[in-house]
Amino acid sequence: MSDTESIAPLEPIAPHGGALVDLMGDPDALATEAANLPKLAISTRELSDLEMLATGALSPLTGFQGEHDYRSVIETMHLESGLAWAIPVVLSVSDEDRHRIGGADSIALADAEGSDPLAVLRVSEVFPRDKVTEAAKVYGTEDGEHPGVKAVYQAGDVCLAGTIEMIRLPAHDNFVEYRLTPAQTRSEFKERGWRTVVGFQTRNPIHRAHEYIQKCALEIVDGLLVHPLVGATKSDDVPPDVRMRCYEALFEGYYPKDRAMVSVFPAAMRYAGPREAIWHAICRKNYGCTHFIVGRDHAGVGSYYGTYEAQELFEEFEPDELGIMPLKFEHSFWCERCEGMASPKTCPHGEAERVSLSGTKVREMLRAGDRPPQEFSRPEVADILIEAMRGH
Ligand SMILES: [Zn+2]
């Protein structure tokens, strides 16, 4: 290899399926058309999916999935085309809405607050949602107490499939400067000269354990994208605005600004554990990440999934099927003897030497206004969480 070749920039990672989807249409023409179409108000969760479809975060999907893809994803974790895909992306409607819409071949989609139409759906198919099979296969349980399964059960019984033409993206009044589309994160990475980027999914404040994992990953790549999910989560998760203040404090004090950035991931949380980990990785590939951190119990909830089940599921795919490299981490902690952050992989010492606190214990301390030890949580982060809990 010549010198010129070795310093020439590599091509950025290809989006899933090869091309980044962009569903933005002609806003004026579509708005005029939409004014005369039956209107459907969609749920917050579906609104998140719509935004992800629109911007190409769900490339190669160009709309809500039809029955063949839906069945194929549920049964085989692949689209009908053979491309890997782990979570169905469908639009459910109630019987009442279905009758109101009738046999319309185009409908206008709006948010639940009755906004002006956001998109036009070209309806190609109407099919029944097989909720119990979907729950069992995708979530590994039919238990209606599981928050993801509960959302499936509460959705309408019939799905409308078809391609989307966007009039405009859903409006947001929070995290505006952090709402980068896949095209925008890709261009940001390019500008920063990052050829390899690791993505970190989170729906929690970041304590020392996750900071350590991110920084271990960053040691081997050019850049880090902390990509908090800000779509719907369960009500006892820490609200996204509080989390965002924690990330900002952490970045301010402890992260190199030319090597790390925060942007938000508009998806709603499914809590589908292993399957969602695969899906999260594919989405981050679309955002331009080459590597993806998979920790313990990724996207899990309660005791529905084994600790390393998400990591293991990656083994069921050929590496080129996903195209993004999973980086698997064990749980980490501060070890008094090692005098540093470590994991069972790197530290030979026993529990007694390790600073580890349960989630319940941490919440108890924060609620009482006590900072957890600084080996567990950065004081700036602890203070934000204490302050937030005081407000409740
Ligand atoms: Zn140790």
Side-chain angles (χ1 to χ4, degrees):
M1 200 188 279
S2 77
D3 279 355
T4 359
E5 269 165 348
S6 66
I7 58 162
L10 295 173
E11 285 300 305
I13 187 167
H16 202 49
L20 198 61
V21 166
D22 176 1
L23 300 179
M24 298 310 294
D26 174 343
D28 295 335
L30 286 169
T32 309
E33 182 190 352
N36 297 310
L37 294 175
K39 191 161 149 180
L40 178 68
I42 64 176
S43 72
T44 318
R45 291 172 169 276
E46 290 157 344
L47 196 65
S48 284
D49 287 347
L50 180 68
E51 180 170 356
M52 304 247 294
L53 285 165
T55 58
L58 301 183
S59 298
L61 305 191
T62 55
F64 290 101
Q65 290 174 320
E67 188 165 22
H68 283 122
D69 271 338
Y70 174 69
R71 292 258 165 221
S72 178
V73 168
I74 289 176
E75 297 291 340
T76 72
M77 289 194 285
H78 291 79
L79 301 173
E80 207 190 2
S81 68
L83 201 64
W85 198 268
I87 301 266
V89 178
V90 291
L91 177 60
S92 269
V93 289
S94 63
D95 286 342
E96 189 192 335
D97 276 333
R98 191 198 171 189
H99 287 120
R100 187 174 52 78
I101 292 162
D105 51 14
S106 292
I107 58 171
L109 303 181
D111 69 24
E113 278 81 54
S115 66
D116 287 336
L118 297 163
V120 172
L121 171 70
R122 307 294 178 196
V123 184
S124 56
E125 225 182 301
V126 181
F127 66 94
R129 187 163 184 176
D130 187 352
K131 295 180 175 181
V132 175
T133 309
E134 181 179 341
K137 295 276 185 178
V138 176
Y139 297 86
T141 174
E142 294 170 20
D143 182 0
E145 295 297 308
H146 180 293
V149 172
K150 190 176 181 180
V152 171
Y153 288 172
Q154 284 172 346
D157 289 331
V158 171
C159 295
L160 295 185
T163 55
I164 293 290
E165 291 172 44
M166 291 302 290
I167 300 169
R168 58 184 173 83
L169 289 177
H172 294 287
D173 53 12
N174 56 6
F175 319 131
V176 176
E177 70 276 30
Y178 292 110
R179 291 190 182 271
L180 302 187
T181 64
Q184 289 168 330
T185 51
R186 284 170 170 271
S187 122
E188 187 73 25
F189 298 162
K190 191 177 168 198
E191 205 155 292
R192 290 166 177 245
W194 297 353
R195 300 198 295 189
T196 50
V197 184
V198 62
F200 183 81
Q201 146 70 28
T202 178
R203 64 170 205 270
N204 289 305
I206 294 171
H207 298 296
R208 294 290 299 272
H210 284 131
E211 177 185 336
Y212 172 71
I213 286 169
Q214 291 168 14
K215 289 181 173 177
C216 284
L218 184 51
E219 293 288 358
I220 61 161
V221 295
D222 297 335
L224 164 70
L225 174 66
V226 173
H227 212 206
L229 176 143
V230 296
T233 55
K234 52 193 177 60
S235 56
D236 58 345
D237 281 351
V238 177
D241 58 316
V242 176
R243 287 191 277 128
M244 189 55 81
R245 291 205 295 280
C246 295
Y247 308 142
E248 284 170 341
L250 205 54
F251 264 63
E252 187 54 38
Y254 303 94
Y255 283 58
K257 288 177 188 54
D258 57 342
R259 288 285 173 199
M261 59 180 274
V262 186
S263 175
V264 300
F265 182 53
M269 198 64 208
R270 266 80 171 173
Y271 303 95
R275 287 251 197 165
E276 193 163 10
I278 300 290
W279 191 70
H280 279 163
I282 291 172
C283 295
R284 271 40 179 253
K285 176 169 77 162
N286 287 330
Y287 281 90
C289 295
T290 53
H291 295 70
F292 183 66
I293 292 171
V294 188
R296 303 161 89 236
D297 200 26
H298 187 111
V301 60
S303 52
Y304 289 97
Y305 311 106
T307 309
Y308 296 105
E309 216 178 315
Q311 297 185 353
E312 287 156 14
L313 189 60
F314 279 82
E315 304 302 326
E316 292 186 24
F317 294 86
E318 297 297 326
D320 63 344
E321 274 195 288
L322 299 177
I324 181 167
M325 174 81 73
L327 299 179
K328 302 170 184 176
F329 286 93
E330 296 201 19
H331 98 108
S332 60
F333 44 77
W334 179 274
C335 171
E336 299 288 3
R337 286 283 297 284
C338 291
E339 295 185 314
M341 294 300 296
S343 80
K345 228 173 155 179
T346 54
C347 158
H349 307 117
E351 277 301 318
E353 317 273 1
R354 299 171 181 177
V355 178
S356 58
L357 300 171
S358 71
T360 314
K361 175 73 190 164
V362 174
R363 276 190 295 276
E364 237 171 59
M365 294 184 74
L366 295 170
R367 207 166 290 129
D370 298 330
R371 281 181 184 167
Q374 61 174 5
E375 292 84 2
F376 182 89
S377 200
R378 298 289 186 189
E380 295 88 340
V381 170
D383 288 349
I384 290 166
L385 293 172
I386 289 170
E387 186 61 41
M389 290 211 172
R390 220 170 257 154
H392 283 274

